[in-house]
Amino acid sequence: MDDKVGQLLAALDVAGMTEDTVVIFTANHGDMLGERDLWFGMTLYEMSARVPLIVSCPSRYNGTPRHQ
């Protein structure tokens, strides 16, 4: 997955679209797969409630503090 996201970001860079593109990465939490003897994500245990969320918007948030 890391390689595919890297390829996407590299393609945006080559196209000159890095600064003007919002990239959002998220995923389904999936099933419990036997954690706590549960097989479905129908509980609010941490393993089934957490999902990844990464947002990149270089033109708006460049990693440096904004002073107003």
Side-chain angles (χ1 to χ4, degrees):
M1 186 49 113
D2 289 345
D3 288 339
K4 294 298 180 187
V5 172
Q7 289 174 10
L8 171 66
L9 296 177
L12 288 171
D13 194 38
V14 168
M17 298 174 62
T18 302
E19 293 296 316
D20 299 322
T21 303
V22 177
V23 177
I24 300 172
F25 179 87
T26 189
N28 184 345
H29 55 70
D31 292 328
M32 293 290 287
L33 300 178
E35 294 280 333
R36 298 181 180 255
D37 293 323
L38 299 170
W39 292 93
F40 304 101
M42 297 180 185
T43 65
L44 289 179
Y45 288 121
E46 184 175 353
M47 296 302 242
S48 72
R50 280 190 169 187
V51 294
L53 175 64
I54 301 170
V55 179
S56 173
C57 182
S59 64
R60 174 76 185 219
Y61 308 105
N62 62 8
T64 59
R66 290 178 30 176
H67 300 285
Q68 295 182 358

